[in-house]
Each structure stands twice: as structure tokens, then as C-alpha cells.
Amino acid sequence: FTPTCSNQHVPGFINQAEQLKAKGVDDILLVSVNDPFVMKAWAKSYPENKHVKFLADGLGTYTKALGLELDLSEKGLGIRSRRFALLADNLKVTVANIEEGGQFTISGAEEILKAL
């Protein structure tokens, strides 16, 4: 529910979902280091969403396996995930747009559309 994620990152994928699907994307998965109850509430905050699936990585296991954890303990948020977008084909990552810090420059839906 951070402002950048909630107001820019997620809406971009919701708004561009049809274009992504038209270019061959089967699933649009949003993964966050949060519990499933938070993810369900976050998903409900986008009633227009038809394609983006919200997935909980409660312990950050998936995020850590990718090497994308971000320690925000000094801000009271604990271990979170860096902002990123992956494009995978048959379970092989073909594009990995990983942001530095809290930036939002390369991981949006528009960048993934350009990569397709």
C-alpha cells in the first residue's frame, strides 16, 4: 500500500493488462512481502482490476531467493522487497527490471510492454 506502488506501479499494470495480454502475457502476478490478508485488502482497493493477481510472500522466501530483499527496518517496515518487474517465458526470466532504492523508473508496465 505504499504511495508509489498503490498509485503508480500497480495501476499501470491494471491499466495496461489488455495490451500485455494481447502481446502474449498469460499471467500478471503482483508479489509483495506481506501476509495474504493485506494482499486481499490491497487487491480489493482496485475494483476495476480483472487480470492482476495479488500474491503474498509473507516470510519473504521468494523475494530472498531472487536476491531482491530490501531492509527497511530503520523505517519500521522490516524486510521488504525491492520494486521490480520480471518477464518470464516458460519459467525462464527474460527481462529483469530491478529498481534501486525506492525509485520507480524501469519496472512499470510501459517498460515491460516495450520489452515484448
Side-chain angles (χ1 to χ4, degrees), residues 23-90:
K23 289 197 170 205
V25 172
D26 293 324
D27 293 301
I28 304 168
L29 309 174
L30 182 149
V31 179
S32 181
V33 180
N34 267 307
D35 65 64
F37 304 105
V38 167
M39 296 307 288
K40 185 175 182 181
W42 197 10
K44 283 184 178 180
S45 72
Y46 301 100
E48 73 282 9
N49 178 35
K50 294 181 178 103
H51 300 290
V52 177
K53 298 173 186 168
F54 288 67
L55 305 176
D57 183 18
L59 298 175
T61 306
Y62 179 72
T63 300
K64 289 175 188 170
L66 292 174
L68 296 175
E69 67 272 13
L70 179 64
D71 188 351
L72 295 175
S73 297
E74 74 281 353
K75 295 181 180 181
L77 299 172
I79 303 298
R80 301 305 222 176
S81 173
R82 292 172 63 181
R83 192 172 286 120
F84 67 93
L86 302 178
L87 183 59
D89 186 11
N90 291 321

Side-chain angles (χ1 to χ4, degrees), residues 5-23:
C5 288
S6 292
N7 299 326
Q8 293 176 281
H9 206 194
V10 175
F13 282 95
I14 291 170
N15 295 334
Q16 300 289 336
E18 295 292 336
Q19 292 88 333
L20 290 162
K21 295 248 179 213
K23 289 197 170 205

Side-chain angles (χ1 to χ4, degrees), residues 92-107:
K92 180 180 179 187
V93 174
T94 58
V95 174
N97 293 352
I98 302 167
E99 302 284 1
E100 293 296 324
Q103 294 182 349
F104 177 60
T105 58
I106 61 171
S107 64

